[in-house]
């Protein structure tokens, strides 16, 4: 299992009495699989919806329910849990628990633990939408924000009570980036970073185009990692099948010429530019208005050079701006990488081997050789998410 942002983190998951507790069982399972130390604290009413046994099986740890757990003998559980937590999640959060937290009341172990912690607290309300929109609940939620808690708004949709409206507990993919950000060092806080990702598509006619095997994963993992560490990320992306990362401004483009325009439009305002996109070097000299008959194709494949976006960025680089390139090589990684580092006036280049099955295009993992003017470091073979963090660590040092 590749280590993740959650590995080793002590996370208290507070579960209260809502049918959405069943969804949180999935969240606990995911956190435990990512090797977080998960301690579940349930309110008595939560145990009406799901059993402590379910959560102890999924988390691998004892589940806490009452303040004075006879068999646990841990009469100070709230202090121990609160003091040692890296993150406290309250999900689902009922109107009752939200009211307790807003009033600083501590009628149960969960609310007591939250008063005893100084870790980030993230509250995920889930309830009938008429309850959720009631002024008293809304005022309580405002009070939580004043206490520096993070409140994740519920989704719109049909709830267990068959009513439609705002009150559904969000899906894991929506809350995961927020949880990860709350336990990550914010060493890129407010740094503006422009990242390019994916292939470009160079049209030949309305049906055909020239492109390459880039899936966008490397660039999207970089954008997610930078946003998690507090950066203000603009992602210029060619066509991919990936969902835009949460908390990232995503600009979708098709061709190299489109990407050139989008990058140049945003380059000036960004402190760091990381170009992981696989930009096509050539396009069709002409784009046929009609689909070309198959026996005429060869006549239409005259190519023209595309702008070298990275080279142009190197020419325009402002003082204090960091320019990071990628190089897709199949051999001589260091020699070829250094050539591009110098020719394009880069501060850093990540060279990856696209000739092996488990690195480069489309893979979930990668291994990059990081080159700067006077340094060469072969990063470990690991996930593109972890590779992104290692590249950003180097960017932080250069900043
Ligand atoms: O997207 P994935 O499936 O995860 O695959 C990741 C990746 C293999 C695409 C990525 O890790 C990678 O290597 N990206 C760079 C691919 C590429 O175009 O490499 P290159 O050596 O041809 O180009 C060198 C650099 O110049 C790159 O930063 C590229 O963005 C840039 N370039 C290239 C051509 C061009 N016309 N304009 C450019 O800016």
């Amino acid at each position: 299992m590749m280590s993740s942002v959650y590995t080793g983190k002590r996370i208290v998951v507070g579960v209260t009495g809502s049918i959405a507790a069943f969804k949180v069982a999935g969240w606990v399972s995911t956190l435990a699989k990512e090797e977080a130390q998960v301690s579940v604290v349930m309110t008595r009413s939560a145990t009406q919806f799901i059993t402590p046994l379910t959560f102890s099986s999924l988390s691998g740890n004892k589940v806490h329910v009452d303040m004075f757990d006879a068999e646990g003998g841990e009469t100070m559980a709230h202090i121990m849990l609160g003091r040692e937590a890296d993150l406290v999640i309250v999900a689902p959060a009922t109107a009752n628990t939200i009211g307790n937290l807003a009033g600083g009341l501590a009628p149960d172990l969960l609310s007591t633990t939250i008063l005893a912690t100084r870790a980030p607290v993230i509250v995920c309300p889930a309830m009938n939408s008429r309850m959720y929109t009631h002024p008293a609940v809304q005022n309580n939620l405002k009070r939580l924000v004043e206490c520096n808690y993070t409140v994740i708004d519920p989704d719109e949709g049909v709830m267990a009570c068959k009513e439609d409206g705002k009150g559904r507990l969000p899906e894991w993919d929506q809350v995961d980036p927020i949880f990860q950000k709350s336990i990550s060092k914010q060493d890129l806080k407010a740094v503006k970073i422009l990242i390019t990702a994916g292939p470009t598509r160079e049209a030949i006619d309305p049906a055909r185009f020239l492109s390459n095997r880039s899936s966008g994963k490397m660039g999207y993992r970089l954008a997610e990692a930078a946003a998690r560490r507090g950066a203000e990320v603009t992602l210029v992306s060619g066509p991919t099948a990936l969902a835009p990362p949460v908390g990232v401004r995503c600009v979708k483009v098709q061709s190299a010429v489109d990407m050139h325009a989008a990058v140049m439009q945003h380059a000036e305002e960004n402190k760091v530019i990381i170009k992981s996109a696989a930009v096509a070097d050539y396009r069709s000299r002409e784009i046929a208005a009609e689909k070309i008959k198959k026996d005429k194709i060869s006549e239409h494949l005259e190519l023209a050079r595309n702008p070298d976006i990275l080279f142009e960025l190197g020419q325009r680089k402002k003082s204090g701006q960091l320019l990071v390139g990628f190089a897709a090589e199949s051999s001589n990684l260091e020699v070829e990488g250094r050539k591009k580092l110098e020719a394009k006036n880069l501060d850093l280049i990540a060279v990856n081997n696209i000739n092996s099955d488990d690195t480069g295009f489309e893979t979930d993992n990668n291994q990059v050789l990081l080159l700067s003017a006077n340094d060469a470091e072969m990063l470990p073979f690991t996930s593109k998410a972890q590779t992104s963090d290692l590249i950003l660590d180097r960017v932080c040092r250069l900043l």
Side-chain angles (χ1 to χ4, degrees):
M1 169 74 199
M2 302 274 180
S3 79
S4 89
V5 174
Y6 292 114
T7 304
K9 296 291 185 187
R10 286 167 303 217
I11 299 178
V12 171
V13 178
V15 183
T16 70
S18 154
I19 184 64
F22 79 89
K23 202 185 263 189
V24 177
W27 295 9
V28 168
S29 173
T30 301
L31 288 168
K33 282 185 191 132
E34 305 250 346
E35 297 173 346
Q37 293 301 318
V38 185
S39 297
V40 174
V41 179
M42 300 175 78
T43 59
R44 186 52 64 197
S45 60
T47 62
Q48 302 300 309
F49 290 89
I50 190 164
T51 65
L53 179 61
T54 301
F55 281 114
S56 59
S57 313
L58 292 170
S59 66
N61 290 321
K62 178 182 178 320
V63 171
H64 305 267
V65 180
D66 284 328
M67 189 72 157
F68 307 103
D69 267 356
E71 97 278 359
E74 293 159 324
T75 53
M76 304 301 277
H78 60 299
I79 299 296
M80 179 272 289
L81 288 168
R83 184 178 53 209
E84 293 174 5
D86 295 304
L87 170 63
V88 177
I89 297 166
V90 185
T94 55
N96 177 52
T97 288
I98 289 166
N100 286 335
L101 298 181
L105 304 179
D108 53 29
L109 179 57
L110 174 58
S111 48
T112 310
T113 300
I114 288 172
L115 287 180
T117 193
R118 290 298 170 269
V121 176
I122 299 181
V123 178
C124 305
M127 65 193 80
N128 169 285
S129 55
R130 276 180 290 112
M131 290 174 69
Y132 176 71
T133 51
H134 190 291
V137 173
Q138 287 300 312
N139 285 337
N140 285 338
L141 288 169
K142 284 193 191 80
R143 183 81 191 95
L144 297 192
V145 172
E146 287 163 11
C147 292
N148 223 9
Y149 296 165
T150 300
V151 175
I152 299 180
D153 287 346
D155 275 351
E156 304 267 348
V158 177
M159 281 160 284
C161 53
K162 304 288 180 272
E163 287 185 30
D164 202 343
K166 198 164 184 177
R168 271 171 65 90
L169 192 68
E171 300 306 323
W172 173 255
D173 288 349
Q174 291 164 273
V175 299
D176 174 35
I178 301 168
F179 294 165
Q180 289 200 32
K181 182 170 177 136
S182 73
I183 52 175
S184 294
K185 54 189 173 192
Q186 297 296 290
D187 50 2
L188 286 170
K189 189 148 191 62
V191 176
K192 287 178 182 288
I193 301 186
L194 173 64
I195 295 170
T196 66
T200 60
R201 273 188 187 168
E202 311 302 326
I204 298 169
D205 65 21
R208 302 179 179 94
F209 55 80
L210 295 171
S211 190
N212 58 62
R213 291 171 45 220
S214 171
S215 65
K217 286 178 187 172
M218 188 70 247
Y220 279 56
R221 296 296 92 83
L222 276 162
E224 287 158 1
R228 174 164 43 76
R229 293 165 70 162
E232 279 176 47
V233 180
T234 300
L235 174 65
V236 176
S237 170
T240 72
L242 305 176
V246 171
V248 165
R249 175 170 56 168
C250 195
V251 179
K252 298 291 281 185
V253 296
Q254 291 287 321
S255 70
V257 169
D258 299 340
M259 186 171 276
H260 175 266
V263 167
M264 292 311 159
Q265 182 192 341
H266 294 285
E268 192 80 14
E269 76 210 25
N270 282 277
K271 178 86 175 162
V272 180
I273 300 175
I274 307 177
K275 298 255 313 69
S276 84
V279 187
D281 287 317
Y282 291 91
R283 64 177 182 276
S284 175
R285 184 168 294 285
E286 280 162 31
I287 301 174
E290 307 271 319
K291 186 168 180 269
I292 302 166
K293 294 301 171 207
K294 59 170 71 65
D295 56 348
K296 300 279 185 213
I297 280 278
S298 55
E299 295 162 26
H300 285 262
L301 277 188
E302 207 179 325
L303 300 179
R305 278 305 299 254
N306 273 325
D308 185 336
I309 304 169
L310 187 57
F311 179 79
E312 197 174 320
L313 288 169
Q315 301 304 305
R316 304 172 39 163
K317 187 166 69 175
K318 293 180 347 192
S319 70
Q321 194 172 40
L322 267 189
L323 191 51
V324 182
F326 269 74
E329 303 299 340
S330 35
S331 61
N332 293 329
L333 271 61
E334 177 146 7
V335 170
E336 294 305 321
R338 279 209 182 283
K339 278 185 200 161
K340 287 178 177 165
L341 184 79
E342 281 140 31
K344 302 189 181 197
N345 191 22
L346 307 181
D347 299 287
L348 192 62
I349 190 163
V351 192
N352 50 186
N353 183 338
I354 52 155
N355 232 3
S356 74
D357 294 342
D358 49 14
T359 62
F361 289 116
E362 299 175 287
T363 56
D364 290 324
N365 302 314
N366 207 356
Q367 179 160 31
V368 305
L369 171 62
L370 264 189
L371 299 174
S372 58
N374 41 28
D375 204 7
E377 181 189 359
M378 180 58 88
L379 298 185
F381 172 76
T382 184
S383 67
K384 282 181 175 172
Q386 185 133 53
T387 299
S388 299
D389 266 320
L390 294 170
I391 292 171
L392 291 173
D393 288 346
R394 178 65 82 76
V395 164
C396 284
R397 287 204 295 277
L398 289 173
L399 279 177

